[in-house]
Amino acid sequence: MHELIVIDVGGTTIKFGVFHHGKLFKFGSVPTPAKLADFYEVLTKKVKTLQQKYPIQGVALSVPGAVNKKTGVIEGASAVPYIHDFAIKAEFEKRFGLPVSLENDANCAALAEAKSGAGKDQQSLAVLVIGTGVGGAFVLNKKIWHGAHLVGGEFGYLLATEELTLSMAASPVSMAKRYFEKTGRKVTGKEVFALAKQGDVDAQKEVELCISSLAKVIYALQYSLDPELFVLGGAISNNPDLIPLLEQKLTQLLAQVQIAKVRPRLALCTYREDANLLGAAFDFEQTNRGE
């Protein structure tokens, strides 16, 4: 593999690493700047510093938004608004003096799982990253399926109820917000799950909405895209009750549709905070092989 600087751009922080002799070495993080000029300065300074220590051949970035691989433009919207809708890949290459690859952050996480994580033995998998919203990706033959309009794998946009998208129904952040509106108690999504186990009726309704929404979407994806495996990530995946609750709900769904004989297979993400950096490196390799 190439010797790479890998960068994970998030709305709060930017993480840095080096992919050296096939292994990831992390080099800390900095707060995400508020302005584009400061953003360029921070990244360029870091790249030049790491170039003095390693024989760097390229820079691989994981970024929010819909990355158009043909134009080098980050389309859509994100928590880093100044990176969108212009030829930012070409600008990076000019400033760094190195080849650059860009890929969406959820897609990078999915590539990491497909390459050497939970999905390493499968050729097709759907990855759902449940956090502030629900991000996702569909991987086929170890490559990201971007779709005709770059919205392939945006499972969070799917309607889980008549009024709520999956992101709105299943995000722990949204669960905590609705719980606060009902009870006046400020809690986290993790605490909503704990309160539900203690018998809190309002918390139980939120957990039911979250789990039933995720199960319905997973069922629908099984009978549309038909992946070999569903991989679940995000902070909620640390909850040991997540998989058993989903399995219980899937059993109920399959009992309702008796002609449905294929049961979705569920697994948790192998990689956590390193997934985006690893996936960015794998994307660089795929991009530069022209795949």
Side-chain angles (χ1 to χ4, degrees):
M1 290 187 73
H2 290 85
E3 299 286 301
L4 301 171
I5 293 171
V6 286
I7 302 173
D8 178 18
V9 178
T12 305
T13 61
I14 301 173
K15 300 174 185 174
F16 298 94
V18 168
F19 215 70
H20 177 58
H21 292 169
K23 294 183 178 179
L24 174 65
F25 297 85
K26 293 191 285 187
F27 283 89
S29 63
V30 298
T32 304
K35 297 179 180 177
L36 179 61
D38 295 335
F39 175 76
Y40 282 142
E41 183 179 349
V42 166
L43 266 60
T44 304
K45 184 178 178 181
K46 194 72 172 182
V47 167
K48 299 301 180 186
T49 299
L50 291 171
Q51 268 187 298
Q52 294 174 9
K53 299 179 180 178
Y54 295 92
I56 299 300
Q57 297 170 291
V59 180
L61 290 103
S62 161
V63 295
V67 174
N68 189 322
K69 305 285 279 185
K70 293 180 180 176
T71 63
V73 173
I74 304 173
E75 300 178 8
S78 76
V80 192
Y82 52 71
I83 65 174
H84 294 275
D85 299 327
F86 66 97
I88 193 168
K89 177 174 180 284
E91 185 65 31
F92 280 142
E93 290 178 332
K94 183 176 74 175
R95 289 172 182 267
F96 300 159
L98 290 164
V100 168
S101 67
L102 298 173
E103 182 54 283
N104 168 268
D105 44 15
N107 290 348
C108 284
L111 280 176
E113 295 298 330
K115 177 76 175 180
S116 56
K120 63 183 174 64
D121 295 324
Q122 278 73 43
Q123 292 302 309
S124 62
L125 61 151
V127 179
L128 289 88
V129 182
I130 307 149
T132 305
V134 178
F138 182 65
V139 182
L140 183 62
N141 297 327
K142 305 297 180 184
K143 299 175 188 174
I144 296 294
W145 173 257
H146 292 94
H149 306 92
L150 304 178
V151 296
E154 292 286 2
F155 307 134
Y157 283 56
L158 296 176
L159 283 170
T161 72
E162 289 187 0
E163 297 178 345
L164 301 178
T165 64
L166 181 62
S167 282
M168 296 162 70
S171 155
V173 174
S174 297
M175 291 171 64
K177 183 180 178 182
R178 283 191 297 270
Y179 183 82
F180 172 73
E181 291 170 352
K182 291 176 184 173
T183 67
R185 296 176 62 188
K186 278 195 172 182
V187 295
T188 65
K190 181 180 178 180
E191 289 168 333
V192 173
F193 274 89
L195 287 165
K197 288 185 76 171
Q198 296 167 15
D200 184 307
V201 174
D202 290 313
Q204 288 175 340
K205 289 179 180 176
E206 287 303 324
V207 171
E208 167 63 22
L209 177 60
C210 168
I211 298 299
S212 63
S213 299
L214 283 170
K216 285 177 185 174
V217 166
I218 287 170
Y219 172 87
L221 293 173
Q222 185 69 69
Y223 285 88
S224 51
L225 298 175
D226 194 19
E228 294 169 79
L229 184 69
F230 289 85
V231 181
L232 307 174
I236 197 173
S237 64
N238 293 320
N239 185 340
D241 294 331
L242 178 65
I243 295 287
L245 287 170
L246 283 171
E247 294 285 10
Q248 186 179 40
K249 191 59 68 176
L250 285 168
T251 297
Q252 294 174 11
L253 286 173
L254 291 166
Q256 292 176 20
V257 189
Q258 295 186 358
I259 58 171
K261 302 300 183 186
V262 178
R263 184 183 182 90
R265 288 180 57 218
L266 308 180
L268 298 176
C269 282
T270 298
Y271 300 113
R272 306 293 168 137
E273 68 270 16
D274 296 341
N276 292 1
L277 292 173
L278 286 169
F282 298 146
D283 173 66
F284 185 96
E285 296 298 326
Q286 287 190 350
T287 301
N288 285 277
R289 287 200 299 263
E291 297 177 358

